Amino acid sequence: MGRSSTAIQGLGWGDEGKGKVTDILAPCHDLVVRYQGGANAGHTVVVAGKKIVLHQVPSGVLHPNVTCVIANGVVLDCTALIAEMQEIKLAGLSLDSLRLSDQAHLVMPWHKVEERILEALAGDGKVGSTGRGIGPCYSDKARRLTALRVGDLLKPQILKAKLTFIVRIKNSLIRSLLRLLPPEARTEINFQSYRVNNLLKELLQFGEILKSYVCKTSHLLNQALKEGKRILFEGANGPLLDLEHGTFPFCTSSTTSAAGIAAGAGVPPRCVRTIIGITKAYSTRVGGGPFPTEQNNWVGLRIRKRGKEFGATTGRPRRCGWLDLFATRYTATLSGIDFVALMHLDVLTGFRKIKVCVGYTLNGVEIEEFPSDPDDVAAVKPVYVTLPGWSEDISSCRDVNQLPQAARDYLHFIQDYLGKPVVLASVGSDRTERIDFWQLTELMAA
Ligand code: IMP
């Protein structure tokens, strides 16, 4: 087995710019793989001023020679996938090489309803989910008897039997949950019982549309590794949203660190040679949960405006703040990154001073580790270092020496703190608006 694969890993609460880096690195790989999450992700790629937002299809789709794989660990929303595939085709791109795991679990309509009801019941304690039914789908995967997988779409008899069992349970479960809601909220949800025949018809149609893409993707990937092909694993969401190590329960429902690759794609952990950690030059978060460096002031507003920080999936305004390097070092350790890609550096242009968080105090005492308890994360006080900002427009810089000294110092500060070299600095949304460091060029040539 070759050890020639690369992993793109976020280092924050998602939205770090993984789509852009995947798109840049895809041409020197044979396959690009999504292995966790689902339609909650939104990976934006901008080419020649044209923006494409990908939710379930890997960001390698812009490159005709790359096979794009949606692996077993993804939870798949068929309706959303088919719509996304249509948009991709309309953009003139080919989907011939798309492959879809028969083991990927299906997000069903009840998952979104269950999520909506639970979030409404949780009130202020809600997770602030993207509403895509991701958590309930992964819950059913763990519960097993109430789960459906892509492979079921191709077996009408088995699908009918499973649906008959599951629909009974879901209708009853949702009706009881609805009873806990106040009448106006119940009316808003406007729940109609699921009918096996209607669902069966719809799912079999999905099966017809998708069947030519379906296969056992773990087999495909292991074959590719045997043949010495290079795979790029495209992480989704972000490790501070990791089910195990994120700010639980304000997190998503999958393993979002590099640890998710092996299980989510069915490949040996050792196949990954290089892990690139992606961080923006500042931090953002969408949804509920603690965010120590959040700036609920003009700083946050300015970052949001300049960085166009609105959810690629939900359109929600993202919460913005100074770069939390303390949390970033924690996630860099979790994924064992080799390099850093520093995104959205241009967004910080115009700040006279830039703060960066290098530690936390809890109850007045400096702490060594990122806390496990979200209440502690909410209670910490960030320890900041203040660095000089720059005023020059850096979007046309293509070499590190063209950057103003203060921007170079900022980049070096991040590199030194994390102890990992920066391989790429992004200075605009387009694929070409970036500075490559020699390591990236070596990596792409390898
Ligand atoms: P869920 O994954 O839809 O259940 O959402 C759980 C939490 O993770 C919410 O706070 C979401 O806003 C957040 N989240 C999930 N996926 C992403 C993402 O791709 N980017 C940013 N936040 C995300």
Side-chain angles (χ1 to χ4, degrees):
M1 181 200 59
R3 272 198 75 191
S4 51
S5 299
T6 312
I8 302 292
Q9 272 300 312
L11 294 174
W13 281 284
D15 312 313
E16 300 93 345
K18 297 179 288 288
K20 175 167 173 172
V21 181
T22 303
D23 171 58
I24 291 167
L25 291 180
C28 51
H29 291 81
D30 302 292
L31 303 99
V32 178
V33 182
R34 274 283 308 274
Y35 55 89
Q36 45 72 226
N40 53 354
H43 290 183
T44 307
V45 182
V46 183
V47 186
K50 230 172 114 189
K51 181 167 139 180
I52 299 182
V53 183
L54 298 158
H55 298 283
Q56 298 182 99
V57 173
S59 306
V61 72
L62 279 82
H63 303 276
N65 298 325
V66 170
T67 299
C68 285
V69 177
I70 302 178
N72 57 281
V74 170
V75 286
L76 197 86
D77 183 328
C78 290
T79 314
L81 177 68
I82 291 166
E84 188 173 335
M85 288 166 70
Q86 270 162 359
E87 267 185 51
I88 292 170
K89 283 184 187 161
L90 275 177
L93 299 165
S94 165
L95 280 168
D96 290 351
S97 69
L98 180 69
R99 294 292 173 269
L100 176 56
S101 170
D102 56 356
Q103 292 168 288
H105 281 247
L106 296 178
V107 176
M108 295 296 294
W110 44 77
H111 292 136
K112 293 179 193 168
V113 177
E114 278 174 51
E115 185 159 65
R116 226 173 129 189
I117 299 173
L118 278 177
E119 288 276 76
L121 288 170
D124 288 345
K126 69 179 181 187
V127 169
S129 97
T130 59
R132 298 300 185 267
I134 305 293
C137 183
Y138 276 120
S139 304
D140 274 334
K141 178 175 180 176
R143 197 187 278 131
R144 292 150 291 160
L145 290 175
T146 46
L148 289 169
R149 306 198 294 181
V150 167
D152 296 323
L153 297 175
L154 310 180
K155 296 183 176 154
Q157 293 310 319
I158 292 177
L159 182 61
K160 187 171 182 186
K162 286 191 180 180
L163 270 176
T164 307
F165 176 76
I166 299 171
V167 160
R168 232 178 102 215
I169 291 169
K170 292 295 176 182
N171 279 338
S172 152
L173 178 76
I174 290 174
R175 292 222 172 278
S176 0
L177 284 175
L178 279 171
R179 277 197 282 278
L180 302 175
L181 281 179
E184 57 289 357
R186 221 178 297 158
T187 318
E188 214 175 283
I189 289 178
N190 188 24
F191 174 66
Q192 311 287 326
S193 293
Y194 299 111
R195 289 169 183 274
V196 174
N197 283 342
N198 295 352
L199 283 167
L200 184 65
K201 198 168 146 211
E202 189 181 30
L203 291 179
L204 290 175
Q205 274 167 3
F206 290 157
E208 264 314 298
I209 298 171
L210 297 175
K211 71 178 178 201
S212 60
Y213 303 101
V214 177
C215 67
K216 187 169 173 74
T217 53
S218 62
H219 176 69
L220 173 90
L221 295 173
N222 283 303
Q223 268 309 111
L225 288 171
K226 251 192 221 157
E227 290 163 18
K229 292 192 172 151
R230 298 186 75 190
I231 303 179
L232 183 61
F233 294 98
E234 179 182 12
N237 315 129
L240 290 169
L241 294 170
D242 186 88
L243 181 61
E244 307 285 341
H245 303 287
T247 49
F248 189 91
F250 305 102
C251 61
T252 190
S253 329
S254 62
T255 295
T256 53
S257 71
I261 295 172
V267 293
R270 263 173 222 224
C271 74
V272 179
R273 185 180 65 177
T274 310
I275 305 181
I276 304 179
I278 321 291
T279 178
K280 281 191 283 214
Y282 48 90
S283 293
T284 62
R285 173 163 204 168
V286 204
F291 178 9
T293 62
E294 181 170 18
Q295 298 297 302
N296 272 320
N297 52 31
W298 68 272
V299 173
L301 287 175
R302 185 154 159 188
I303 293 176
R304 181 185 297 149
K305 187 159 176 238
R306 295 202 52 152
K308 301 189 184 67
E309 292 294 350
F310 294 87
T313 299
T314 58
R316 288 182 292 179
R318 295 182 185 136
R319 300 155 64 190
C320 300
W322 297 118
L323 177 59
D324 188 339
L325 273 185
F326 187 70
T328 305
R329 190 167 60 188
Y330 165 63
T331 55
T333 305
L334 280 179
S335 283
I337 66 161
D338 302 294
F339 299 108
V340 178
L342 182 64
M343 313 304 284
H344 289 225
L345 187 59
D346 55 306
V347 172
L348 292 187
T349 294
F351 280 105
R352 216 164 46 80
K353 290 192 170 135
I354 297 172
K355 285 188 179 185
V356 54
C357 166
V358 293
Y360 291 164
T361 59
L362 184 61
N363 304 320
V365 180
E366 192 147 355
I367 55 174
E368 299 285 321
E369 303 295 340
F370 189 83
S372 310
D373 185 333
D375 292 334
D376 287 344
V377 183
V380 299
K381 299 250 174 308
V383 178
Y384 286 113
V385 165
T386 304
L387 299 168
W390 60 90
S391 56
E392 298 89 334
D393 176 5
I394 60 170
S395 58
S396 56
C397 296
R398 297 292 175 269
D399 185 288
V400 69
N401 295 316
Q402 295 169 340
L403 286 175
Q405 186 61 44
R408 259 183 284 165
D409 289 346
Y410 187 60
L411 193 146
H412 284 130
F413 186 90
I414 293 167
Q415 185 165 268
D416 292 346
Y417 182 92
L418 296 176
K420 299 292 169 190
V422 171
V423 278
L424 180 155
S426 175
V427 290
S429 53
D430 196 272
R431 144 191 308 165
T432 57
E433 291 176 312
R434 66 182 211 256
I435 296 166
D436 293 351
F437 292 72
W438 64 267
Q439 298 100 324
L440 187 73
T441 322
E442 298 261 297
L443 201 73
M444 288 170 84

